[in-house]
Amino acid sequence: MPDHFDHTVAGAGRDVLAALQAALGDAVLAGEAIPTRNLRDWSSMDAVRPLAVVRPDSTEGVATAMRVCARHGVAVVPQGGLTGLCGGALPIAGAVALSLERLTGIEEIDPAASTITVRAGTPLEAVQQAASDAGFLMPLDLGARGSCAIGGNISTNAGGNRVLRYGMAREMVLGLEVVLPDGTIMTSLNKMLKNNAGYDLRQLFIGSEGTLGIVTRAVLRLFPQPASVSAALCGVASYAGVLALLDAARRELGAQLSAFEVMWPDYWRVVTGMNGVRNPLAGEHAFTVLVETHGSDAAIDPGRFQDWLERQAEAGTVVDAAVAQSIADVQAFWRTRDAAGEFVQVLGVHESFDIGLPVGAIDDFTAACRDALQARLPGVIALFYGHVADGNLHIVSNLPGAATQPKQAIQETVYGTVQQFGGTVSAEHGIGLSKKRWLPYTRNPVELDLMRTIKRALDPAGLLNPGKVF
Amino acid sequence: MPDHFDHTVAGAGRDVLAALQAALGDAVLAGEAIPTRNLRDWSSMDAVRPLAVVRPDSTEGVATAMRVCARHGVAVVPQGGLTGLCGGALPIAGAVALSLERLTGIEEIDPAASTITVRAGTPLEAVQQAASDAGFLMPLDLGARGSCAIGGNISTNAGGNRVLRYGMAREMVLGLEVVLPDGTIMTSLNKMLKNNAGYDLRQLFIGSEGTLGIVTRAVLRLFPQPASVSAALCGVASYAGVLALLDAARRELGAQLSAFEVMWPDYWRVVTGMNGVRNPLAGEHAFTVLVETHGSDAAIDPGRFQDWLERQAEAGTVVDAAVAQSIADVQAFWRTRDAAGEFVQVLGVHESFDIGLPVGAIDDFTAACRDALQARLPGVIALFYGHVADGNLHIVSNLPGAATQPKQAIQETVYGTVQQFGGTVSAEHGIGLSKKRWLPYTRNPVELDLMRTIKRALDPAGLLNPGKVF
């Protein structure tokens, strides 16, 4: 742990603990009372024991905790559902972990404005459910939905499976309430799609991984529930064919296009060998593409989707295709993507990547990356798949039979190739702790300086989630 | 002109002029050579003569100008197409006006990434045309399209007619190049929809009205050209009916819904009396609503739109309707909205407002605002119309027969009512100079403090567009 994380000494630690307990009572857990769950997140990083875990159940409680810590010069790590993959919510020794887990609940659904107002600790799935119960769709969705908190989704600008249709978390946030590093509460719970009255302060806190402020409440956009969902798995013979299919989908399926997931053959071979994964396609294809639409007319949409697909087959773009005939089929098709979450069972320990590239460059990147990996680590496995329409590629890689995985060599090779292609080292997972080293591969010195300028301006004492991001 | 605008004295003025001319030659215009067009924008504010107008034709030229001015402590006002309505680009006496008008041109269209890379001074219409020539839609559109510059659209987070379908300028910007107040060039020309590698620095410069940096280049998202456009003018009997129609449009027209414009009866009566405006509806309605869709299937969409409209008529939501049978009809329907730009011809001098409110509160607001105006200024005219689905309402108001318009009383009354209803004093036009006084009606002291913190951090010497926004 670098020195600058060590914001407390034993004396200051005792003082701040007493002050927190005086102000917040049993919201403060220390010593043996600190729950195991607060010691780590879903990254593979080692658990860290914080000075205390504070779990306020109100914005005022969060502000009080932050104010007390600021007065004592003790750092604070905000925690939501602890499902982050890069260590952004990992505790810091000597710092306070401020968990939003008790700041939960839906405050309001406004049907005319089409908004939902939520407290930051509410699990994503509970927000989705409340929206659904009111006849709306809260479109943000990702695998961790049952555990992740909406405040964490906002703080990390979560993406997920339907960014193409609905945008990332950033696009869904209309208003925010944030506790600043000195404990000031900034309430900016705007409900309007348009508000150009001064700087758009929301943007500072979305995706900055809890380093500039702690999100306590949010107003989110709601959408109508889709009246129809159509999906197909398509075999395509070349990347030029993938791009032609994407162009046709954008033009002819229009705004209904909700997913365009591409799987490379090595990936497809592994995933279709897994338990519970069906391969509805005959033969082997250079690319397998999952196309999905969210429509608003159940009578028209399925036929229209089928016609579109037939045109792609007639044009030779699609070599083979399976169309979902039911919601069960749609789910089965998605299983070919979601099963990636269980790769550890078939591949063992491996490195996972979440990178971004200009769409046109992705296949050249995969070839260059595969070559570079093989040259450095002969026999290495590298599986490619991703939300290609968003420019977002995932890679899973390991060296079969290695006593210890060559983690460093794999990372250097992949991120080095990302840098050559002008891509990003993090499309949706953020930087946290584990990707800090690679941030300069994707952001230039001027960008990094400006990030530091913003950090210093909002958090001059460096108390909020220090050492994360940069 | 308040004192803090006066950043130069005659001596410093001479020095900086000589230094600018030495560095940039005939890109620098001073004294009699300063063009009249650079003295004011489309606000009604008085012309101001700057120390000089500098018109670089490259990013490096912009950086050089900024660096020279910073060294001499001379303020800089960035200028684009000068079509702003709030004085954001109005020169400051003693400061340099830095016009982007010669930094023009399209650098690249990337069909696979679906992006266009443009220089900041390029007129919006030229960007639209280049996209169209390449088979794409650049959806940002507003009345000033022929004159406004894309850099200005970005710096003011322009909205316009199709925000509902495509978002504001903010949602279209994938990457930016910006010259910072010390002349540093920050190049961040990202092409990916997803990039969570550190803070999203773009957001600082979008909508901050040239107070934090000067946009020099941008990567923008492109969309497919719509295959169909459908439109109808609908008579609706109550605001509850308007909200029911909006809900049905959101649910059943889905993502194709591109406009939902509502016109109150006083507005409708004035506008349909104007030259070249047709009223295709019989009788008088409490509300007239223009509904438009951008579809992707020319064979299916018109029938679907017609069916949807018939269902609204059967349900009693729509009392009378006219459906566009041609593009000429669509344009004629839009003329009922666009003619608002010519109100000066029928109303004479008047105040115009661009405010925002939660959608459900808009009609109560109009009633309260009308009452408050009548109470203070008996006989006052107030016409209401706007992009209601976005929560964006425009108001035009004047006192017929007044020797001098009671500008101040009208503004106080309207903005005071906006404040009561928790709305925004600027939905899309920004703050500039003319709305500074009203900013605290919509942003609280904590928000305003944070804006100032950001300004100080990025522009510690206060050299970039000082005195604008706050």
Side-chain angles (χ1 to χ4, degrees), chain A residues 188 195 199 211 296 304 424 447, chain B residues 188 195 211 296 304 424 447:
Chain A
S188 193
N195 190 345
Y199 299 169
T211 61
S296 55
R304 197 183 150 199
T424 175
E447 291 174 289
Chain B
S188 193
N195 190 347
T211 62
S296 55
R304 196 181 152 201
T424 175
E447 291 173 290

Side-chain angles (χ1 to χ4, degrees), chain B residues 347 349-351 373-374 376-381 397-406 410:
Chain B
L347 297 178
V349 176
H350 58 269
E351 289 302 299
L373 282 168
Q374 286 303 338
R376 183 147 177 193
L377 302 162
V380 73
I381 285 176
S397 180
N398 75 354
L399 188 62
T404 315
Q405 281 298 319
I410 292 176

Side-chain angles (χ1 to χ4, degrees), chain A residues 112 135 156-157 187-188 194-197 199 211 224 250-252 296 304 387 392 424 426 428 443-444 447, chain B residues 112 135 156-157 187-188 194-197 199 211 224 250-252 296 304 387 392 424 426 428 443-444 447:
Chain A
T156 57
N157 187 28
T187 303
S188 193
K194 288 171 163 178
N195 190 345
N196 275 346
Y199 299 169
T211 61
R250 283 172 172 156
R251 288 182 193 280
E252 298 169 34
S296 55
R304 197 183 150 199
H387 317 292
N392 186 186
T424 175
S426 185
E428 50 185 14
R443 297 295 191 189
N444 58 49
E447 291 174 289
Chain B
T156 57
N157 187 28
T187 303
S188 193
K194 289 171 161 177
N195 190 347
N196 275 346
Y199 300 169
T211 62
R250 283 173 172 156
R251 287 181 194 282
E252 298 169 33
S296 55
R304 196 181 152 201
H387 317 292
N392 186 186
T424 175
S426 184
E428 49 185 13
R443 298 295 191 190
N444 58 48
E447 291 173 290

Side-chain angles (χ1 to χ4, degrees), chain B residues 123-323:
Chain B
L124 172 59
E125 199 166 48
V127 181
Q128 292 173 335
Q129 189 59 50
S132 171
D133 291 347
F136 288 94
L137 176 74
M138 208 300 269
L140 186 67
D141 191 37
L142 48 149
R145 68 184 71 80
S147 308
C148 64
I150 189 69
N153 298 144
I154 294 168
S155 300
T156 57
N157 187 28
N161 288 333
R162 281 156 191 130
V163 169
L164 193 55
R165 169 73 182 81
Y166 301 101
M168 297 185 76
R170 186 179 300 281
E171 279 78 43
M172 296 172 202
V173 176
L174 294 177
L176 277 186
E177 181 182 74
V178 176
V179 172
L180 301 176
D182 66 356
T184 302
I185 300 170
M186 189 190 74
T187 303
S188 193
L189 293 170
N190 167 70
K191 279 186 179 182
M192 286 85 75
L193 280 188
K194 289 171 161 177
N195 190 347
N196 275 346
Y199 300 169
D200 189 346
L201 300 171
R202 291 174 294 186
Q203 310 297 342
L204 288 167
F205 305 101
I206 302 169
S208 53
E209 304 187 45
T211 62
L212 299 177
I214 304 173
V215 172
T216 48
R217 289 193 290 168
V219 181
L220 304 169
R221 276 183 87 167
L222 295 177
F223 291 79
Q225 288 174 325
S228 71
V229 177
S230 303
L233 276 171
C234 308
V236 180
S238 67
Y239 196 69
V242 170
L243 293 181
L245 188 64
L246 175 58
D247 189 63
R250 283 173 172 156
R251 287 181 194 282
E252 298 169 33
L253 301 174
Q256 303 197 340
L257 182 64
S258 54
F260 191 91
E261 303 291 312
V262 178
M263 295 164 270
W264 274 251
D266 289 355
Y267 173 94
W268 187 250
R269 219 170 295 128
V270 172
V271 84
T272 52
M274 288 171 71
N275 276 342
V277 179
R278 251 184 358 191
N279 179 0
L281 299 178
E284 188 154 297
H285 305 286
F287 298 89
T288 308
V289 183
L290 171 56
V291 183
E292 188 200 60
T293 59
H294 273 193
S296 55
D297 192 323
I300 291 177
D301 298 330
R304 196 181 152 201
F305 184 75
Q306 180 89 40
D307 291 350
W308 174 80
L309 199 61
E310 278 166 20
R311 287 199 300 277
Q312 307 318 309
E314 280 159 24
T317 311
V318 167
V319 180
D320 185 17
V323 182

Side-chain angles (χ1 to χ4, degrees), chain A residues 222-256:
Chain A
L222 295 177
F223 291 79
Q225 288 174 323
S228 71
V229 178
S230 303
L233 276 171
C234 308
V236 179
S238 66
Y239 196 69
V242 170
L243 293 181
L245 187 65
L246 176 57
D247 189 63
R250 283 172 172 156
R251 288 182 193 280
E252 298 169 34
L253 301 173
Q256 302 197 341

Side-chain angles (χ1 to χ4, degrees), chain A residues 71-351:
Chain A
R71 203 161 55 226
H72 289 80
V74 171
V76 169
V77 177
Q79 294 189 328
L82 291 157
T83 61
L85 297 172
C86 300
L90 200 72
I92 295 172
V96 166
L98 199 159
S99 171
L100 284 298
E101 68 199 89
R102 297 204 303 166
L103 186 61
T104 57
I106 310 297
E107 297 203 336
E108 188 204 33
I109 291 179
D110 179 337
S114 210
T115 58
I116 187 167
T117 306
V118 299
R119 298 196 187 105
T122 315
L124 173 59
E125 199 166 48
V127 181
Q128 292 173 334
Q129 189 60 49
S132 171
D133 291 347
F136 288 94
L137 175 73
M138 208 300 269
L140 186 68
D141 192 36
L142 48 149
R145 67 184 72 78
S147 308
C148 62
I150 189 70
N153 298 144
I154 293 168
S155 301
T156 57
N157 187 28
N161 288 333
R162 279 154 191 131
V163 169
L164 192 56
R165 169 73 182 79
Y166 301 102
M168 298 185 78
R170 186 178 302 280
E171 278 79 43
M172 297 172 201
V173 176
L174 294 177
L176 277 186
E177 181 182 73
V178 176
V179 171
L180 301 176
D182 66 355
T184 302
I185 300 170
M186 188 190 74
T187 303
S188 193
L189 292 171
N190 169 69
K191 279 185 179 182
M192 284 84 75
L193 280 189
K194 288 171 163 178
N195 190 345
N196 275 346
Y199 299 169
D200 189 345
L201 299 171
R202 293 174 294 185
Q203 310 297 343
L204 288 167
F205 305 101
I206 302 169
S208 53
E209 304 188 46
T211 61
L212 299 179
I214 304 172
V215 172
T216 49
R217 289 193 290 169
V219 181
L220 304 169
R221 275 183 88 168
L222 295 177
F223 291 79
Q225 288 174 323
S228 71
V229 178
S230 303
L233 276 171
C234 308
V236 179
S238 66
Y239 196 69
V242 170
L243 293 181
L245 187 65
L246 176 57
D247 189 63
R250 283 172 172 156
R251 288 182 193 280
E252 298 169 34
L253 301 173
Q256 302 197 341
L257 182 65
S258 55
F260 190 91
E261 304 290 313
V262 178
M263 294 163 270
W264 274 251
D266 288 356
Y267 173 93
W268 188 249
R269 220 170 294 127
V270 172
V271 85
T272 52
M274 289 172 70
N275 274 341
V277 179
R278 255 187 350 194
N279 179 359
L281 299 178
E284 187 155 300
H285 304 286
F287 299 90
T288 308
V289 184
L290 171 55
V291 183
E292 188 199 60
T293 59
H294 273 192
S296 55
D297 192 323
I300 290 176
D301 299 329
R304 197 183 150 199
F305 184 75
Q306 181 88 41
D307 290 348
W308 173 79
L309 199 60
E310 279 165 20
R311 286 200 300 279
Q312 307 318 308
E314 280 160 25
T317 311
V318 168
V319 179
D320 186 18
V323 182
Q325 302 299 330
S326 63
I327 291 296
D329 280 352
V330 174
Q331 286 165 347
F333 289 1
W334 273 105
R335 175 95 186 114
T336 64
R337 275 289 279 105
D338 294 341
E342 298 152 29
F343 272 166
V344 70
Q345 294 164 25
V346 287
L347 298 178
V349 177
H350 59 269
E351 290 301 300

